[in-house]
Amino acid sequence: MHRLILPFAAACALTAISIVTAHAHASLEKSQAAPGSYKAVLKVPHGCDGQATHTVRIDLPEGFIGAKPMPKAGWTLSVEKGDYAKPYKLHGDEVTSGIRSVTWTDGNLPDEFYDEFVVSGTLADVAEGQTLYFKARQVCDKGEVAWDQEPAEGQDPHSLDHPAPSLTILAAHGDTHAHHAGASDTVKAGELEIKGAWARAMLPGQPTGGAYLTITNSGAAADRLLGATSPNAGKVEIHSMSMKDNVMVMRPIEGGLEIPAGASVELKSGGEHLMFMNVTQPFKEGASVPVTLEFEKAGKVDLSLPVQAKAGGEDHSSH
């Protein structure tokens, strides 16, 4: 466990330089989450007392896998990788190692300012009520402070001088190894929010089918839906539909579908949509279809699409 480390001269000077005020602890923006996609946002409320923080490190807990840290302008980003305590399932694949700690260096967080440090990943094989600790450390020119203290059973974390930022696991929504969503559910991945997802019921013998959803980007930068995969189809493509010479033309979108910053993109009947090709078992109403979306920035997101028999829209039967 890290300790508050002080140079000897500073310690003799009443340790004022590197003690962070106790009432403003480093913490996670979202302290509760269900298994699945999770964006850990470490809120650092200030630098060291009277001086700027130049380094911030987060040690990632067991059960938080597939980590992807967000670079910060003016800071140098580095990671340390290592083995997990056990194998996990991530997007259908078994993973045994990954990023275990993230460090931002060469930055400048003055004592009177606030900043955030972000790592996106997946909460896997975690139980309801379990607490994960994202232990963090700030380093200044003349000292450092470690937010690494875990409370004893029954102890109030607020009674600790330097409590580790903690996350409490909520009840799982479906499979605890992936974040799934039905048509009425909403899934968050990074700055993206995905909702209204569903797949259209297919005719017997039909080899292709369509699926639809809405993606909202609340971030300051555009993202891009690069592609999708599903165990229920040989291939999944992002398609567009347009009129050419009074004929409806359907074609794949090359390079992915842009999700502009601060905007929503609806994949719907008669417009952009997901096309499932070489389907072995036609989608039946009342069933569900697993699909993994891959975004340029938000990474991979698992969904479970309820199959509905809605009228209208494109005909995939002879695609």
Side-chain angles (χ1 to χ4, degrees), residues 74-141:
W75 297 72
T76 300
L77 175 63
S78 62
V79 302
E80 294 180 15
K81 296 183 178 180
D83 293 335
Y84 299 132
K86 60 183 179 181
Y88 294 93
K89 284 290 187 179
L90 181 63
H91 308 305
D93 298 322
E94 183 178 278
V95 294
T96 58
S97 63
I99 295 175
R100 304 311 309 267
S101 68
V102 182
T103 305
W104 293 265
T105 58
D106 305 320
N108 181 40
L109 173 58
D111 185 50
E112 64 269 25
F113 293 153
Y114 154 94
D115 209 342
E116 295 179 342
F117 300 81
V118 180
V119 184
S120 181
T122 298
L123 298 170
D125 202 14
V126 288
E128 180 181 1
Q130 183 179 350
T131 300
L132 303 186
Y133 294 96
F134 289 73
K135 296 182 179 181
R137 181 172 61 189
Q138 293 176 252
V139 182
C140 303
D141 286 339

Side-chain angles (χ1 to χ4, degrees), residues 49-68:
D49 187 16
Q51 59 180 300
T53 296
H54 59 68
T55 298
V56 172
R57 174 189 172 102
I58 305 177
D59 292 327
L60 305 179
E62 189 71 25
F64 183 71
I65 65 174
K68 290 187 177 183

Side-chain angles (χ1 to χ4, degrees), residues 202-203 205-212 233 235-242 247-254 271 273-279 313-319:
M202 298 166 57
L203 299 173
Q206 184 178 333
T208 58
Y212 319 93
K235 188 177 184 180
V236 182
E237 294 182 342
I238 312 165
H239 277 210
S240 67
M241 296 188 69
S242 60
V247 176
M248 183 67 75
V249 177
M250 188 182 306
R251 59 170 57 91
I253 299 176
E254 301 295 337
H273 59 279
L274 295 180
M275 170 73 80
F276 291 73
M277 308 175 74
N278 301 323
V279 177
E314 62 277 357
D315 178 13
H316 298 281
S317 59
S318 59
H319 188 84

